[in-house]
Amino acid sequence: MTSTDPSSLAAAKARYDDERAKRVRDEGVGQYHSLNEYQLDQDPWADPNFTRDPIIEEVEVVILGGGFAGMLAATDLLRRGITSFRIIEKAADFGGTWYWNRYPGCMCDVDATIYLPLLEETGYMPTERYASASEIFAYCQLLGRHFGLYEHALFQTEIESLKWDDDARRWDLVSKRGDQIRTQFFIAAGGLMHKAKLPGIEGIELFEGKAFHTTRWDYDYTGGSPTESMDHLRDKVVGIIGTGATSVQVVPQLARTAKEVYVFQRTPSAVGVRAQMPIDAEWFRSLPAGWQQERMRNFTEVVTGNTEEVDLLGDGWTAAMRVDTQTIPTTDEQRAELESIDFEVMEGFRRRVDEVIEDKETAEKLKPWYGKHCKRLCFHDEYLQSFNLPNVHLVDTDGRGVREMSAAGPIVDGKEFPLDLLIFASGFEVTTGLVDRLGFDPVGRDDVLLSERWHDGTHSLHGVITAEFPNLFVVSFIQAGFGLNFVHFLSESANHITWLIKHCLTEGIASIEATVEAEDEWLQTLWKRSGAIAQYNKTCTPSYGNSEGARTMLAARGAVYPGSLMAYAALLDDWRNAGTLEGTRVVPNS
Ligand code: NDP
């Protein structure tokens, strides 16, 4: 039993409520804008003059997306002996988020031995415990070569339309490059966070300086590279909007070279110790067969509150998430215990601010006042330290965010901040409609549009299949399981989807889709089990994790299977093993 001074806890809870109230906005996710509204969506890494002849072909499977989701779906198809597939990718290479995000300092704060998939299959040893973006991107290319995925890929290609032909029981896909591809199965693996967003700021279009989103870093302007210093910034005044996990990694790099750096903050992140270290080759080579799956499982169990598990990873994540404080307490004693644990974890983050930050006023503004499950935690050893440097200035907006912009720069509390460069570290769309994030509107049976069928949010069985859209599989944690280690979730999702495809091919099934009844039942299951999270979320500051605090049907249908990803994986496993394909409508080959 932990003991916390009740008055400190009560004061913290009151402060959490105050901070939340400052931030809730009626617009919810509607406050944000897309990059292409402001012509900020160009791919800085691709050859804009690339052309190729269109192709006309028929395959068994089309995978949309060449990030880890698409690559894992592809390697799983190969594992199951399915070789007739195409991967369609907007970018010019594999990598997904690791293709786009090449901002300085970019890395993954989840342990590389569980984040980089298929390490046992490729024999690759990560160099450091927390791999840099460059290393991860190179590893994606290695996966592409190792598994022969390049020959399946159509890069710099976007889908124009996707239409189900119910007589042929095939999808007809047309790309913006004129390709016409007929496929039996379609996997939407376009990424969990692939669509970058801009903050809703009045007059944002007026800004006359240089501006870009962190996913579209312009090294021509800043100089340097992901590993070299940005020398062109030495005489530049730079602003950055957003203080989430991306900004936490970028700010220390800007601080190194820019003349002045203004960090515009709406809500401070909780930033713990990262403790980077090289991977010990002897230890790595001594790991027994099956070690990666076991390590992934162990991490997922530990960070979703399975206290029976031995903590194999032992890092900031496992320490902070060891106890799931979103659990609904059954006794007053347990309630007090959970509140106390949550408070103490967050107090640890707040104490670290006091230990690191020299200026007391700045320290107060950098303290996170919310529960530990409200926002994604961050781990970094240079971010907070940056605010002790004379060229780094925190512009705290007291929860309001930057709301006004002039030609010169952001305006906060009536004060204008003239900038040469403005960087948007404002994140990605997560819980907006799938069609919006896909960039095209699939046409299902009887010409029904996915945007119509899902006008009020996701309708699915297990988050994967949907009625009236046969053989369309979605990789997304909306209505599915979720793992702090995204790649673990993607592996489970790819495994399930490719099992379904293989099953259809071997059992002579032409198409499979969810029944409406099964979708409704699944939603009820999610809602019944989500009570604890919903209860906890009520006290949370808005974030992408809770649809920016929205109370809409879209947000409600965006529920995630609560609890451990392992529980979701076990549920899928049981469903597959039952062999009845319960809740689906299946049409045999004619
Ligand atoms: P986030 O959505 O986490 O952060 C966006 C930031 O922009 C928030 O601080 C938000 O404030 C702020 N913001 C939005 N509007 C305004 C405004 N008008 N004025 C001022 N600030 C504003 O995006 P990130 O790109 O940082 O991270 C997204 C996700 O990407 C992470 O959660 C993580 O899953 C992944 N990621 C993972 C990394 C890793 O190491 N594994 C590294 C980087 C990213 P508020 O909090 O108030 O909404």
Side-chain angles (χ1 to χ4, degrees):
M1 174 86 190
T2 47
S3 66
T4 297
D5 168 13
S7 62
S8 320
L9 184 56
K13 281 164 78 176
R15 180 79 190 264
Y16 290 6
D17 286 346
D18 286 352
E19 296 296 334
R20 177 179 190 281
K22 286 180 197 170
R23 288 166 174 84
V24 175
R25 286 167 66 158
D26 292 342
E27 318 96 291
V29 291
Q31 68 186 275
Y32 292 103
H33 297 276
S34 67
L35 298 193
N36 52 18
E37 277 177 66
Y38 300 100
Q39 286 78 51
L40 291 176
D41 200 21
Q42 295 83 1
D43 181 346
W45 325 116
D47 171 6
N49 300 317
F50 167 78
T51 56
R52 64 167 172 79
D53 290 332
I55 57 167
I56 299 177
E57 67 177 4
E58 175 154 1
V59 290
E60 282 176 339
V61 188
V62 164
I63 301 170
L64 167 63
F68 277 137
M71 296 182 95
L72 287 169
T75 54
D76 262 10
L77 286 176
L78 290 172
R79 176 168 62 84
R80 297 181 191 280
I82 301 167
T83 54
S84 167
F85 63 88
R86 269 283 167 215
I87 302 171
I88 298 190
E89 170 57 58
K90 175 181 174 179
D93 206 333
F94 288 118
T97 198
W98 304 104
Y99 171 92
W100 294 105
N101 286 289
R102 304 189 199 187
Y103 59 79
C106 186
M107 47 80 71
C108 181
D109 63 8
V110 174
D111 188 296
T113 60
I114 55 167
Y115 185 79
L116 295 183
L118 305 169
L119 287 176
E120 289 190 72
E121 287 78 352
T122 59
Y124 180 80
M125 184 186 89
T127 55
E128 291 178 300
R129 186 163 194 199
Y130 302 103
S132 69
S134 316
E135 179 169 359
I136 303 173
F137 179 40
Y139 184 68
C140 292
Q141 294 173 316
L142 182 153
L143 284 179
R145 291 191 302 274
H146 185 91
F147 291 98
L149 302 183
Y150 278 98
E151 66 194 66
H152 295 269
L154 294 178
F155 292 121
Q156 290 184 263
T157 303
E158 288 179 72
I159 294 176
E160 173 93 44
S161 65
L162 182 71
K163 192 172 186 318
W164 176 250
D165 178 338
D166 206 39
D167 296 325
R169 311 215 70 77
R170 294 289 183 272
W171 285 102
D172 285 317
L173 179 159
V174 177
S175 82
K176 290 186 183 168
R177 291 196 179 274
D179 307 306
Q180 294 174 38
I181 305 177
R182 177 159 266 224
T183 178
Q184 186 172 357
F185 303 98
F186 183 87
I187 305 177
L192 306 178
M193 291 195 186
H194 79 285
K195 195 168 175 206
K197 57 184 167 57
L198 294 175
I201 299 176
E202 208 183 306
I204 191 170
E205 72 288 353
L206 301 176
F207 180 63
E208 287 178 350
K210 174 78 181 171
F212 52 77
H213 190 276
T214 45
T215 58
R216 303 287 188 274
W217 199 270
D218 186 345
Y219 283 105
D220 286 343
Y221 181 88
T222 63
S225 72
T227 50
E228 293 158 323
S229 95
M230 296 177 285
D231 287 331
H232 299 180
L233 295 183
R234 292 207 185 275
D235 61 349
K236 298 282 188 288
V237 180
V238 181
I240 181 164
I241 293 185
T243 50
T246 297
S247 183
V248 162
Q249 297 179 348
V250 172
V251 166
Q253 307 303 322
L254 294 174
R256 281 209 175 100
T257 46
K259 185 174 154 203
E260 305 290 339
V261 181
Y262 289 91
V263 182
F264 296 90
Q265 171 177 273
R266 186 162 72 181
T267 311
S269 278
V271 188
V273 174
R274 181 179 66 174
Q276 175 70 297
M277 61 179 83
I279 301 266
D280 178 346
E282 206 177 315
W283 166 79
F284 188 81
R285 298 291 170 216
S286 73
L287 292 168
W291 67 266
Q292 192 176 29
Q293 209 49 40
E294 171 52 17
R295 219 167 147 76
M296 273 186 168
R297 186 203 61 76
N298 172 266
F299 177 80
T300 295
E301 288 286 12
V302 171
V303 296
T304 39
N306 183 345
T307 44
E308 306 283 296
E309 284 281 329
V310 176
D311 178 3
L312 292 180
L313 275 295
D315 71 356
W317 280 115
T318 58
M321 305 306 264
R322 195 78 173 104
V323 177
D324 179 3
T325 52
Q326 294 177 114
T327 312
I328 290 194
T330 48
T331 61
D332 285 348
E333 201 187 18
Q334 195 194 3
R335 179 188 309 280
E337 169 85 357
L338 292 172
E339 283 180 348
S340 167
I341 290 170
D342 199 300
F343 170 80
E344 290 300 340
V345 169
M346 293 309 287
E347 271 295 282
F349 287 108
R350 293 188 281 266
R351 261 197 308 276
R352 182 166 189 243
V353 175
D354 278 331
E355 284 158 19
V356 172
I357 300 292
E358 288 156 11
D359 177 62
K360 290 252 165 308
E361 211 180 308
T362 306
E364 283 314 307
K365 291 174 179 165
L366 285 167
K367 288 182 187 170
W369 291 101
Y370 42 81
K372 76 185 176 82
H373 293 277
C374 289
K375 272 185 190 289
R376 186 188 189 282
L377 304 175
C378 299
F379 299 92
H380 208 281
D381 295 340
E382 291 167 272
Y383 173 72
L384 291 172
Q385 291 76 353
S386 302
F387 292 95
N388 291 333
L389 298 171
N391 64 330
V392 179
H393 317 281
L394 179 67
V395 184
D396 181 54
T397 62
D398 195 23
R400 289 185 305 278
V402 177
R403 295 204 169 194
E404 209 185 334
M405 186 95 76
S406 72
I411 299 169
V412 176
D413 288 336
K415 184 176 173 197
E416 187 180 65
F417 292 84
L419 303 173
D420 296 304
L421 168 63
L422 175 56
I423 297 160
F424 294 108
S426 42
F428 305 87
E429 291 187 22
V430 179
T431 55
T432 51
L434 177 65
V435 171
D436 186 42
R437 281 179 288 125
L438 282 176
F440 61 93
D441 200 353
V443 184
R445 196 152 24 74
D446 299 327
D447 289 339
V448 64
L449 293 171
L450 190 63
S451 59
E452 284 168 8
R453 174 102 223 293
W454 285 20
H455 70 96
D456 56 351
T458 302
H459 292 242
S460 84
L461 174 62
H462 304 147
V464 175
I465 51 176
T466 186
E468 296 177 72
F469 292 80
N471 294 355
L472 184 140
F473 306 95
V474 180
V475 181
S476 164
F477 50 72
I478 304 292
Q479 295 198 1
F482 173 71
L484 236 172
N485 176 9
F486 274 13
V487 169
H488 188 188
F489 162 69
L490 298 176
S491 317
E492 296 295 344
S493 182
N495 180 47
H496 183 62
I497 289 170
T498 56
W499 180 91
L500 282 168
I501 291 174
K502 179 70 177 176
H503 187 77
C504 289
L505 290 173
T506 49
E507 299 299 316
I509 294 172
S511 70
I512 184 167
E513 64 192 276
T515 64
V516 173
E517 295 72 28
E519 291 176 341
D520 291 346
E521 225 173 277
W522 179 243
L523 188 61
Q524 292 309 321
T525 305
L526 294 174
W527 283 350
K528 257 186 248 146
R529 298 177 56 111
S530 305
I533 296 181
Q535 197 66 21
Y536 187 96
N537 265 338
K538 275 199 218 156
T539 65
C540 282
T541 44
S543 76
Y544 69 76
N546 56 27
S547 293
E548 304 296 335
R551 298 263 183 275
T552 59
M553 183 48 94
L554 180 73
R557 282 188 168 276
V560 170
Y561 187 82
S564 165
L565 171 64
M566 298 319 298
Y568 171 74
L571 180 141
L572 293 184
D573 208 28
D574 290 346
W575 183 88
R576 292 191 297 265
N577 289 337
T580 53
L581 303 179
E582 195 185 334
T584 65
R585 175 177 180 235
V586 160
V587 177
N589 288 334
S590 49

